[in-house]
Amino acid sequence: MVKILAIESSCDETAAAVITDGYRLLANVVATQIPVHQLYGGVVPEIASREHLNAVVPVVNRALAEAGLALSEVDAVAVTQGPGLIGSLLVGVSYAKALAFAAGKPLLAVHHLEGHMSAPFLEHPELRFPYLALVVSGSHSGVAVAEAPGRYQLLGQSRDDAAGEAFDKIARALGLPYPGGPAIQQTAGEGEAVYDFPSAWLEGTYDFSFSGLKSAVLNFLNQKKMKGEAFRTADVAASAQEAIIRVLAAKAVRAAREYDLDTIVLAGGVAANQALRERVQSLAPERRVVYPSPKFCTDNAAMIGAAALAKWQRGEFADLSLNAEANLPLYFYA
Ligand code: KG4
Ligand code: ZN
């Protein structure tokens, strides 16, 4: 039985998990910085690094304690190498390297998006490659064919804002708290999608663009304010959510059909969105739609451990020269 200690610190969550064969979690600890960043309406990179520095040792210790293991009893240390905020990544990478060196354990470097795409295995260990992955987070939106562990063909991605970023920016304009996705989802539940905000279809591609939608919502709000006209925030939230999810869902389903993939995996923070999950399934009733529980959609170390298990099996180890990379490309080949 292999036991892997996994560490994630790419953005505003300091997380550690211990995972063993069969994607069985022995521990899963997430220390979120959301309340700190909420004061500023979004993630402040310098503050994030400092918070990771404070949190990383206790979070890792708590994960080991939960698993009932000493560091000497784990078989490998896995860490998110990138992409993400460089100052945040460096905390996890440096600490993982120090632990691996001190305890004489092998090191496994994980791509954050491969982590997100591996999260569904935690609750659906029977999931098999290949599958279509819609990866939608605060910093990435992409459609990929997951061919095998470590092999992903990127079909398209956002040309500007990521889907989660669009949720966050629109929420901010509506006076809703950070992170915007859950706030918009909740507010949208009390409204109707009565406004037809634009979705950028970018026909013939699997690319996305959300900056036009953001501008349209900002213009709408300014116009209403200038004219002194009333509107319901819940209706704007519902309409903006609709404009985001209809294009995500349609492209994921089209790609699954074009590449003849029976399973569609939704991954990343935005995959926690209930309307997105329902839309994908209703557009593709003939396909299996798999998504992690919300706690495994947003950043966590369990998903890093899940990706690391496959790397361990492949014997793909990193050495102590490993460096954090803010723009680490996935072994994605377009
Ligand atoms: O994967 P994640 O935790 O961090 C990154 O890797 O970026 O994703 C965070 C993003 C945020 O933009 C947040 O607003 C969005 O995921 N998000 C949601 C929901 N929950 C989180 N977006 C829409 N609906 C949700 N329920
Ligand atoms: Zn993420």
Side-chain angles (χ1 to χ4, degrees):
M1 281 283 233
V2 58
K3 295 180 233 37
I4 298 175
L5 167 67
I7 301 173
E8 150 69 37
S9 72
S10 67
C11 189
D12 59 348
E13 250 84 45
T14 320
V18 181
I19 196 166
T20 183
D21 295 315
Y23 300 97
R24 210 159 59 80
L25 272 182
L26 303 182
N28 185 34
V29 179
V30 181
T32 183
Q33 305 175 4
I34 285 176
V36 181
H37 298 291
Q38 255 172 356
L39 303 172
Y40 306 93
V43 178
V44 183
E46 289 77 7
I47 296 177
S49 328
R50 205 176 330 131
E51 294 287 320
H52 284 303
L53 271 177
N54 290 335
V56 71
V57 176
V59 163
V60 167
N61 287 344
R62 190 138 45 96
L64 288 171
E66 257 180 36
L69 295 172
L71 179 62
S72 58
E73 292 172 292
V74 305
D75 299 295
V77 181
V79 67
T80 304
Q81 184 190 2
L85 301 171
I86 190 65
S88 293
L89 288 165
L90 275 168
V91 176
V93 169
S94 310
Y95 193 51
K97 279 164 53 169
L99 289 177
F101 178 68
K105 304 291 177 185
L107 189 62
L108 297 154
V110 175
H111 192 286
H112 185 74
L113 295 187
E114 182 166 26
H116 275 302
M117 285 189 281
S118 305
F121 288 99
L122 294 165
E123 294 160 296
H124 304 279
E126 77 293 348
L127 180 68
R128 290 288 170 268
F129 287 87
Y131 53 85
L132 188 285
L134 175 69
V135 195
V136 274
S137 74
S139 37
H140 293 88
S141 307
V143 178
V145 179
E147 297 178 344
R151 279 200 16 219
Y152 304 91
Q153 185 187 163
L154 185 64
L155 304 179
Q157 58 189 325
S158 182
R159 296 183 183 176
D160 40 56
D161 293 349
E165 205 177 343
F167 272 107
D168 294 341
K169 288 178 175 171
I170 291 168
R172 196 173 176 171
L174 288 173
L176 298 172
Y178 173 84
I184 289 198
Q185 167 166 312
Q186 196 190 358
T187 311
E190 291 146 28
E192 296 285 334
V194 293
Y195 303 112
D196 192 20
F197 291 132
S199 300
W201 287 97
L202 305 173
E203 290 297 349
T205 76
Y206 288 111
D207 285 350
F208 302 108
S209 166
F210 295 107
S211 63
L213 168 65
K214 178 189 63 193
S215 305
V217 175
L218 290 176
N219 285 341
F220 171 92
L221 295 174
N222 283 337
Q223 292 277 331
K224 289 286 179 197
K225 216 179 275 171
M226 268 165 29
K227 293 183 188 159
E229 288 175 6
F231 64 89
R232 291 186 67 224
T233 299
D235 291 342
V236 180
S239 307
Q241 174 173 270
E242 171 62 24
I244 296 172
I245 67 156
R246 67 184 162 213
V247 62
L248 293 175
K251 292 209 176 194
V253 170
R254 198 188 321 145
R257 292 196 176 126
E258 184 180 338
Y259 289 84
D260 203 17
L261 299 162
D262 293 335
T263 303
I264 301 176
V265 160
L266 309 180
V270 180
N273 188 275
Q274 191 59 29
L276 174 66
R277 296 166 166 207
E278 286 168 11
R279 184 65 54 86
V280 173
Q281 188 68 80
S282 75
L283 289 180
E286 77 290 359
R287 282 177 159 73
R288 182 169 181 225
V289 182
V290 183
Y291 38 76
S293 299
K295 69 173 179 185
F296 295 129
C297 285
T298 48
D299 289 346
N300 63 85
M303 68 185 197
I304 302 304
L309 273 177
K311 290 200 153 219
W312 168 272
Q313 278 153 13
R314 297 200 300 279
E316 233 179 70
F317 298 106
D319 61 40
L320 292 175
S321 66
L322 180 73
N323 218 341
E325 281 192 43
N327 299 310
L328 184 68
L330 193 45
Y331 339 99
F332 269 166
Y333 49 99

